[in-house]
């Protein structure tokens, strides 16, 4: 079993996102997508040996290439070479292969350990700690599991791991409702039910969150919508649990009220909701180091008292949102009271109205609907008052112009706003303006390589450079082209 190499560094692997291998801070070159598919198939067997026929079936399914066994041996040899002093982690036995690594060296093992601890903690009655542990387990994910890997085994495991993640999100949301964070949960549940419309457990949680937020009519509307959808799509009625909840809401069942959950954790002041609305950052973020440092420094300055406003401008597809989300995640520790996010849809025909956005922000901060006033000015004033004394980051994505943004600025020391737009925000007084251009040819090729695979790019480097040049060195276009190529191994 691979362990300490003599320098206190173990091999560590990730599958809950792109499949990667690291030794300490060094990212190892694990080769082409097909080679990483072999690595994933072995890692997910938990040290058990996989026979050569099993691996051939995992990588190629019912139509393997003529030289499949030879390809397996080549991939295994290259992985051993990549592992360096830990080459013995990949063992050959009984005509197959296995990977033997130390406990906790695979991200999925860490996630499973955290979930098991959360279950024990919840059973003991500490729901707050259980929720923190589930959140920590969800934080192990780094995007789509087994991202970009080909083969039927990877596809099956990807589906299984995504289902597990969604189940954990449901568990955490259930705990959110148990500890009184129903108002905070509504926005997340609304987005999740839109993404997974046939998942009845999410609908049930959304109904309960709305009811506990004083929004009984909306909770019943969710049930009616669910019933219509299930009838149209599947020809079935809602599950008994959902129907029972509807009846309890209609009857104003007192048992649906929030149970008393004591919180004995020490705190510095009154409890308040901490929104965490940032979209996930991409795992293969590439280049832009100077912009990352520049924007990160600007966000860090607000901890000294002033409010920081940074505005990133550039043409469509240049990577404004990707950069802003990456910087915002890196700066989260400067904003312990939460992060807000909105797509202002400024490049489309129907830009978001500031009044509606402020209503969404206020609800995310725990303000009940009954306390949210009408009108942009009133809501903006309440927004600034709610943020007084807090350190919150607002990411205002895809803004139309400065007029759309102004009512959404926190205006409070210790807070910050990060704005992206196709328009240069010269109308935002005191804002730090950043103009984002296309990637350099080297950065563009690195991004392309991370998606397509180093082996293919090295074999046709000039052709790869032609592709990124044809994409105008725009990150979005490069991602689209590279993703199509990654899915078509013969192109």
């Amino acid at each position: 079993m691979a362990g300490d190499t003599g320098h206190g560094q173990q091999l560590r692997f990730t599958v809950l996102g792109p499949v990667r291998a690291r030794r300490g801070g060094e990212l190892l070159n694990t080769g082409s997508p097909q080679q990483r598919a072999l690595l994933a198939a072995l890692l997910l067997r938990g040290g058990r040996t996989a026979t050569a026929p099993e691996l051939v079936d995992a990588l190629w399914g019912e139509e393997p290439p003529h030289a499949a066994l030879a390809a397996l041996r080549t991939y295994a040899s290259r992985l051993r070479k990549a592992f360096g002093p830990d080459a013995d982690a990949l063992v050959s036995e009984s005509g197959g292969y296995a990977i033997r690594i130390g406990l906790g060296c695979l991200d999925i093992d860490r996630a499973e350990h955290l979930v098991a601890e959360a279950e024990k903690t919840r059973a003991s009655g500490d729901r707050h700690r259980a929720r923190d542990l589930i959140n920590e387990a969800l934080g192990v994910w780094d995007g789509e599991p087994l991202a970009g890997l080909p083969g039927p085994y990877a596809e099956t495991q990807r589906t299984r791991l995504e289902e597990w993640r969604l189940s954990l999100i449901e568990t955490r949301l259930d705990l959110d409702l148990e500890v009184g964070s129903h108002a905070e949960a509504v926005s997340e549940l609304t987005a999740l039910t839109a993404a997974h419309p046939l998942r009845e457990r999410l609908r049930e949680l959304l109904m309960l969150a709305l009811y506990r937020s004083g929004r009984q009519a909306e909770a019943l509307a969710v049930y009616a919508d669910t019933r219509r959808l299930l009838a149209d799509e599947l020809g079935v009625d809602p599950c008994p649990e959902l129907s029972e909840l509807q009846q309890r809401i209609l009857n104003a069942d007192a048992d649906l009220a929030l149970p008393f959950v004591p919180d004995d954790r020490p705190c510095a002041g009154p409890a308040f909701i901490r929104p965490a609305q940032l979209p996930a950052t991409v795992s293969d973020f590439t280049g832009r180091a100077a912009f990352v440092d520049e924007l990160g420094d600007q966000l860090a300055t607000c901890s000294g008292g002033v409010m920081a406003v940074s505005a990133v401008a550039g043409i469509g597809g240049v990577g404004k949102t990707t950069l802003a989300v990456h910087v915002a995640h890196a700066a989260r520790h400067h904003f312990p009271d939460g992060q807000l996010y909105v797509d202002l849809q400024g490049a489309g025909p129907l830009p978001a109205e500031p009044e509606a956005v402020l209503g969404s922000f206020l609800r995310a901060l725990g303000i009940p609907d009954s306390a949210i006033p009408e009108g942009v000015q009133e809501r903006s004033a309440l927004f600034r008052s709610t943020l007084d004394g807090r350190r919150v980051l607002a990411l205002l994505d895809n803004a139309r112009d400065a007029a759309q943004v102004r009512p959404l600025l926190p205006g409070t020391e210790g807070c910050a706003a990060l704005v992206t737009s196709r328009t240069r925000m010269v109308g935002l007084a005191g804002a730090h303006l950043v103009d984002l251009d296309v990637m350099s040819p080297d950065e563009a090729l690195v991004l392309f390589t991370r998606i397509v695979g180093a082996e293919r790019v090295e074999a046709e480097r000039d052709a790869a450079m032609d592709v990124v040049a044809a994409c105008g060195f725009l990150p979005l276009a490069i991602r689209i082209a590279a993703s199509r190529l990654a899915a078509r191994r013969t192109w």
Side-chain angles (χ1 to χ4, degrees), residues 12 22 48 107 111 126 181 186 236 243 267 272 297 303 320 333-334 341 354 357 370-371 388 390 439:
R12 295 189 178 275
R22 297 179 185 275
R48 299 186 302 276
D107 59 351
D126 189 349
S181 297
V186 166
V236 299
S243 299
C267 58
F272 48 76
D297 289 344
S303 60
K320 301 182 295 296
H333 62 284
H334 292 301
Y341 172 83
V357 174
S370 58
D388 185 42
R390 305 190 193 182
M439 303 183 92

Side-chain angles (χ1 to χ4, degrees), residues 1 76 125 149 154 162 235 282 292 320 333 391 410 434 471 474:
M1 181 180 295
L149 293 195
E162 278 293 334
V282 296
V292 170
K320 301 182 295 296
H333 62 284
R391 291 164 59 189
V434 172
C471 292
L474 287 166

Side-chain angles (χ1 to χ4, degrees), residues 456-478:
R456 290 177 74 186
V457 172
E458 289 170 2
E460 298 183 81
R461 186 177 180 85
D462 290 342
M465 184 57 79
D466 288 342
V467 172
V468 297
C471 292
F473 303 110
L474 287 166
L476 179 59
I478 293 168

Side-chain angles (χ1 to χ4, degrees), residues 425-444:
M425 292 285 167
V426 292
L428 285 182
H432 178 77
L433 304 182
V434 172
D435 296 313
L436 192 62
D437 203 348
V438 298
M439 303 183 92
S440 70
D442 287 342
E443 287 179 339

Side-chain angles (χ1 to χ4, degrees), residues 97-120:
Y97 297 97
I99 285 184
R100 308 278 165 75
I101 53 177
L103 187 65
C105 291
L106 180 62
D107 59 351
I108 195 171
D109 294 338
R110 297 194 294 278
E112 288 175 343
H113 172 74
L114 288 165
V115 171
E117 285 296 308
E119 290 172 352
K120 289 191 290 186

Side-chain angles (χ1 to χ4, degrees), residues 373-396:
E374 297 297 326
V376 174
Q377 292 184 354
E378 292 78 6
R379 290 187 176 188
S380 186
L382 178 58
F383 178 57
R384 293 191 297 271
S385 297
T386 303
L387 294 183
D388 185 42
R390 305 190 193 182
R391 291 164 59 189
V392 172
L393 170 64
L395 176 46
L396 310 175

Side-chain angles (χ1 to χ4, degrees), residues 313-463:
I315 62 174
V318 80
K320 301 182 295 296
T321 298
T322 301
L323 171 64
V325 170
H326 180 81
V327 170
H329 274 282
R332 284 182 64 170
H333 62 284
H334 292 301
F335 306 97
D337 295 322
Q339 307 86 40
L340 297 164
Y341 172 83
V342 63
D343 179 358
L344 294 171
Q345 303 175 42
L350 296 172
E353 293 294 336
E355 183 176 352
V357 174
L358 286 166
S360 175
F361 279 177
L362 288 167
R363 283 188 286 272
L365 291 164
I367 306 299
D369 278 0
S370 58
I372 297 177
E374 297 297 326
V376 174
Q377 292 184 354
E378 292 78 6
R379 290 187 176 188
S380 186
L382 178 58
F383 178 57
R384 293 191 297 271
S385 297
T386 303
L387 294 183
D388 185 42
R390 305 190 193 182
R391 291 164 59 189
V392 172
L393 170 64
L395 176 46
L396 310 175
D397 192 21
N398 195 16
R400 176 185 55 190
D401 51 30
Q404 186 190 30
V405 167
R406 284 193 198 97
L408 310 178
L409 296 178
T412 307
E413 64 180 27
C415 291
L418 184 54
V419 184
T420 74
S421 177
R422 295 187 182 183
T423 304
R424 202 164 191 265
M425 292 285 167
V426 292
L428 285 182
H432 178 77
L433 304 182
V434 172
D435 296 313
L436 192 62
D437 203 348
V438 298
M439 303 183 92
S440 70
D442 287 342
E443 287 179 339
L445 190 61
V446 169
L447 175 60
F448 184 79
T449 302
R450 288 181 173 176
I451 300 171
V452 173
E455 188 173 304
R456 290 177 74 186
V457 172
E458 289 170 2
E460 298 183 81
R461 186 177 180 85
D462 290 342

